[in-house]
Amino acid sequence: MHQGVNRQLFVSPSRSADVDAKSDLEGARVQSASPENDASTTARQKPAGAKQSTRPTDAPFAKDSRIAIIGAGPAGLTMAYELQKKGYTRVDVYEKASRVGGMTYTKWDTAPLVDHNVAKTCQIKVVPHEMGACYLTAIRHRHILDIMDEMYLDTVPMPSMEVYSGKPGESTMHFEDWMQTTYHGVIAYMNDWPGLTTEDKAELFLQQLNKYFEERKRLLGDDENFLFPRQRPDKEALKELGWPFKDWLQHHGLELIMPLFYETQTSQGYGYIQEVPTYYALIWNSKELFSYISLQKMDFFNLANSKLKKYMEKLSLPRRVEHQVMTETPTPEEERQEGQGAADLQRLQKSFRAQMVQGGFMTIWERLVKKLPNVHKEVTILKVDRRGDNPAKRIQITYTVGDDADPVTAQHDYLMLACKLDDMEDWLDIQNDEKAIFGDILNYELTTTLVRIPANPGNTIPTTPHMFLPGKLLDVKDVNRCYVTRTSLKCVSPGLSYGDGDAGALNGDRPEWAPNDDTRVCFQYSGIDSVPKEDQKSNDELYKQLEADLKEYGAQEVKPHMQDDGTMLQERWKYMPHFNAAKLGHLWDLWELQNTHRTFYLGSVTCFESTADVQSYNRQLVDYYQL
């Protein structure tokens, strides 16, 4: 029976869910329908030096206009759904792959599993392996969670990240404990750290965290609704947003919280803090994201009941998060077993944990497609001709489908590009103003590989569900090393374990499973635009490096997960498109270019590489252009 996504505590009791959802964009808008309204908008709502823009008063196209969206990842599908809800009836989505979802790719596997919650009998069950995006948070992803509610999908808590040194035999440690060991190497003035009281430590830590948020607000404006800061910053603010993030933290005296960003930024493939422009760190590391971490840090500081409220107030969390924190109370049984303070903290930590999609992230998009009548897969675009921007002539899209060599030409009134903007030179009639932007896009590369570690008494690699190896990630020269592993079964089905046998016909090409076998999605990270072509690794070279790393970490044997076509399951993602410091202004150039060539630009290059951000950007476009 569907229980719905557990988010009710995040809605203020004084406001209905419908009113709250409707007001998200309304409350976030900078009132710019007229110059007078622009002038009255407070500095608190705008980024530093923001220039004004005039909001269109009418939609650029009619409800029966033919709209083409190229790309069926989260950006393309959520935009198609937004338009459908607004009454647009002639929207076509074109996708080159045989599946939808883009980088939210779930590989479903079958294996003999034992369910320890029910009975210790072995049954063939499905295990979802997340090869791309994998988690959601309650506020930033709230609109995706709304879609999940409509699709009758639920979530499961994502296990906390454990830090591993990579030395066989050593146990993992909580991330906050690892932070303590990192302080001495990062902060020269904190030599007396061990002698400080827990209250003094908390005071220093939260003081810097609050200062971070103040500086973030100065540059980007308020972040409660996670919208792209569409007003272009002034020259000085833009220059500061282009600084390497580590330099920015040091400039503002925020060294104490620097280790946080190894987890939140670098471990997720969002750039080394020594290199990534500050904009891409600030836009991602919001108050809501840190509300998940800060609660764990309170546990790290051993704060209990009466201290909890004091330091939560110091942290100044977003309103709806703060409401949950102050009203969540333990059950009588938890209070009896744990004691009041410990039970409070435990329940708060459970409430604020990130969530994974039960059954696989890609399930969202597969179910959403069933609500969208015109999603075309296995499409190869041959040519897009926008007819010289002549509104009297429709845009022509010529393409083939699957193995059919006969081209088809479709006529559309407007175009939305939800694909890689730097991969369209072969088929798009790129204009000069577009070329100036698309040619400056840079990318990182994230490789995910599914491996099996057979049970072996000699294995010393930790079996923790979510493991981070910062030693393989902190040095920008140490690329292509395995820095994160995620044990799929323990993440999505903690009550299950592998049993004896094989998975029958579906997995007949694989060896038999045994208890304590382990399957993991492993992450390797590099910057393909900063590494010379001759130094870029092949798939086999990446796997050999991964295998060597896992054996170094304590695995006796490592086997690649083989697919039905005989190839290993390895995905090389062109990841996190971004601009360097000198070209960072292209983010606002893209915003200003929207609708110039009867074209809208969607996807992570416009804002940030996250499913939540690309959907929020879509909603912002729909709202701004009165669609």
Side-chain angles (χ1 to χ4, degrees):
M1 180 176 174
H2 172 66
Q3 300 297 319
V5 180
N6 184 17
R7 292 176 295 134
Q8 62 271 23
L9 291 171
F10 286 87
V11 181
S12 170
S14 64
R15 305 171 69 194
S16 71
D18 288 340
V19 172
D20 205 21
K22 181 179 178 182
S23 65
D24 280 338
L25 282 169
E26 294 292 340
R29 289 178 188 160
V30 176
Q31 299 297 323
S32 56
S34 68
E36 291 78 9
N37 282 340
D38 275 341
S40 67
T41 304
T42 64
R44 183 176 178 272
Q45 292 174 302
K46 297 178 184 176
K51 296 182 179 180
Q52 309 305 324
S53 61
T54 302
R55 183 179 176 212
T57 56
D58 297 303
F61 42 79
K63 298 291 185 182
D64 62 349
S65 297
R66 295 204 59 175
I67 303 165
I69 299 176
I70 298 180
L77 292 178
T78 56
M79 178 56 90
Y81 195 43
E82 288 293 327
L83 293 175
Q84 184 185 81
K85 290 189 293 184
K86 294 289 184 179
Y88 293 91
T89 58
R90 306 179 75 184
V91 179
D92 286 88
V93 182
Y94 299 97
E95 168 58 45
K96 69 179 180 179
S98 59
R99 63 172 184 85
V100 298
M103 285 188 60
T104 53
Y105 174 36
T106 306
K107 172 64 178 178
W108 288 279
D109 188 24
T110 54
L113 301 178
V114 176
D115 188 342
H116 298 277
N117 296 318
V118 181
K120 294 187 177 181
T121 57
C122 192
Q123 297 179 355
I124 303 301
K125 294 190 176 184
V126 174
V127 181
H129 303 286
E130 299 291 10
M131 303 299 293
C134 67
Y135 74 88
L136 313 106
T137 58
I139 297 180
R140 195 184 195 110
H141 293 81
R142 63 191 180 278
H143 301 306
I144 292 179
L145 290 165
D146 288 339
I147 293 175
M148 288 181 61
D149 275 346
E150 296 174 32
M151 306 300 158
Y152 299 98
L153 291 170
D154 292 317
T155 62
V156 293
M158 184 175 185
S160 299
M161 184 177 282
E162 296 276 315
V163 176
Y164 179 46
S165 68
K167 298 177 181 177
E170 290 192 3
S171 59
T172 60
M173 64 175 73
H174 292 298
F175 180 79
E176 49 270 52
D177 294 331
W178 171 76
M179 280 187 60
Q180 270 202 97
T181 67
T182 307
Y183 285 143
H184 297 294
V186 175
I187 310 157
Y189 66 82
M190 288 299 293
N191 289 331
D192 59 345
W193 180 263
L196 296 177
T197 66
T198 56
E199 288 79 7
D200 289 338
K201 292 177 181 180
E203 189 77 28
L204 287 167
F205 179 84
L206 294 176
Q207 183 181 39
Q208 289 201 12
L209 199 55
N210 277 316
K211 184 178 180 183
Y212 164 82
F213 290 133
E214 290 169 2
E215 295 296 335
R216 183 181 188 274
K217 182 190 295 184
R218 175 179 63 84
L219 289 171
L220 296 182
D222 282 347
D223 72 336
E224 187 175 351
N225 290 278
F226 310 104
L227 300 180
F228 173 71
R230 61 178 175 78
Q231 285 99 354
R232 185 186 294 267
D234 65 21
K235 185 177 179 180
E236 289 304 310
L238 193 60
K239 181 179 179 181
E240 186 174 344
L241 287 169
W243 291 354
F245 185 49
K246 184 176 181 180
D247 293 353
W248 185 87
L249 289 169
Q250 291 174 329
H251 175 81
H252 291 291
L254 302 176
E255 293 93 340
L256 184 59
I257 63 172
M258 191 182 296
L260 287 170
F261 301 101
Y262 294 135
E263 177 188 8
T264 63
Q265 192 76 23
T266 307
S267 77
Q268 300 192 47
Y270 292 151
Y272 294 102
I273 66 172
Q274 301 95 312
E275 295 181 337
V276 68
T278 291
Y279 164 84
Y280 294 102
L282 297 185
I283 202 73
W284 174 242
N285 290 281
S286 64
K287 281 187 175 181
E288 192 238 2
L289 184 68
F290 274 96
S291 71
Y292 289 83
I293 297 170
S294 62
L295 286 171
Q296 296 179 30
K297 298 304 159 296
M298 290 180 188
D299 187 33
F300 160 53
F301 291 126
N302 298 312
L303 297 178
N305 196 27
S306 62
K307 299 289 185 184
L308 185 62
K309 183 174 180 179
K310 171 184 174 182
Y311 289 112
M312 289 299 293
E313 289 173 347
K314 279 181 176 289
L315 189 57
S316 303
L317 292 177
R319 175 173 48 80
R320 278 175 288 179
V321 178
E322 185 175 328
H323 172 77
Q324 178 179 358
V325 169
M326 298 310 175
T327 59
E328 183 73 58
T329 56
T331 65
E333 180 64 17
E334 286 174 329
E335 193 171 319
R336 183 183 65 79
Q337 291 181 355
E338 306 279 354
Q340 177 71 41
D344 273 344
L345 188 59
Q346 183 185 53
R347 285 177 62 83
L348 287 168
Q349 287 175 324
K350 287 180 181 178
S351 301
F352 280 86
R353 285 167 68 179
Q355 303 287 312
M356 298 181 73
V357 181
Q358 192 174 51
F361 209 133
M362 202 165 77
T363 309
I364 301 173
W365 316 119
E366 290 194 335
R367 294 196 185 181
L368 182 59
V369 163
K370 295 178 181 179
K371 288 181 173 284
L372 301 171
N374 299 310
V375 176
H376 315 282
K377 293 181 282 189
E378 297 187 76
V379 170
T380 300
I381 303 290
L382 302 177
K383 184 179 180 181
V384 173
D385 183 357
R386 288 175 285 184
R387 317 293 291 279
D389 294 334
N390 184 346
K393 297 181 179 181
R394 283 184 166 173
I395 297 169
Q396 292 185 339
I397 300 179
T398 304
Y399 62 94
T400 59
V401 180
D403 296 328
D404 191 345
D406 295 330
V408 179
T409 298
Q411 308 280 340
H412 292 278
D413 300 304
Y414 281 84
L415 177 66
M416 294 185 169
L417 297 171
C419 48
K420 301 291 186 184
L421 298 187
D422 50 338
D423 285 343
M424 302 183 300
E425 63 274 6
D426 291 339
W427 49 264
L428 180 68
D429 56 341
I430 298 177
Q431 306 302 302
N432 287 333
D433 49 6
E434 294 173 323
K435 187 181 298 183
I437 299 172
F438 299 169
D440 290 326
I441 296 173
L442 302 173
N443 297 274
Y444 299 126
E445 182 177 66
L446 186 66
T447 302
T448 56
T449 308
L450 182 60
V451 302
R452 187 166 74 96
I453 300 176
N456 188 306
N459 284 342
T460 57
I461 186 169
T463 59
T464 181
H466 197 193
M467 188 170 72
F468 174 39
L469 295 108
K472 303 301 182 187
L473 192 64
L474 303 187
D475 188 346
V476 296
K477 297 178 181 178
D478 203 8
V479 297
N480 299 321
R481 305 298 299 273
C482 175
Y483 70 92
V484 166
T485 74
R486 193 168 55 240
T487 306
S488 302
L489 194 59
K490 290 186 177 180
C491 282
V492 297
S493 303
L496 301 181
S497 65
Y498 290 106
D500 288 311
D502 61 45
L506 287 176
N507 286 349
D509 59 328
R510 287 177 220 147
E512 290 193 351
W513 295 83
N516 300 318
D517 277 359
D518 188 4
T519 53
R520 300 188 185 206
V521 179
C522 301
F523 293 71
Q524 293 164 280
Y525 176 57
S526 63
I528 56 176
D529 289 318
S530 59
V531 177
K533 264 192 174 178
E534 59 272 17
D535 293 334
Q536 293 177 17
K537 304 297 184 183
S538 67
N539 290 359
D540 286 340
E541 287 174 323
L542 283 171
Y543 178 75
K544 287 178 181 177
Q545 179 63 68
L546 170 62
E547 184 180 31
D549 284 343
L550 292 174
K551 288 182 176 179
E552 178 186 329
Y553 305 156
Q556 297 301 303
E557 185 181 10
V558 180
K559 295 186 176 182
H561 180 100
M562 304 306 292
Q563 303 186 86
D564 293 337
D565 62 1
T567 61
M568 64 180 169
L569 183 55
Q570 180 188 67
E571 296 293 330
R572 298 185 70 167
W573 304 108
K574 195 173 182 180
Y575 192 65
M576 195 186 162
H578 61 281
F579 300 102
N580 65 21
K583 303 296 183 179
L584 196 61
H586 282 335
L587 287 162
W588 290 271
D589 294 337
L590 267 174
W591 177 266
E592 293 163 6
L593 196 61
Q594 299 286 2
N595 196 34
T596 301
H597 304 292
R598 292 185 288 172
T599 302
F600 289 86
Y601 310 92
L602 315 177
S604 53
V605 71
T606 63
C607 48
F608 188 76
E609 182 74 87
S610 104
T611 54
D613 286 76
V614 298
Q615 188 192 20
S616 292
Y617 192 91
N618 288 349
R619 291 172 60 87
Q620 191 173 5
L621 278 175
V622 168
D623 178 71
Y624 183 79
Y625 281 94
Q626 307 287 304
L627 300 180

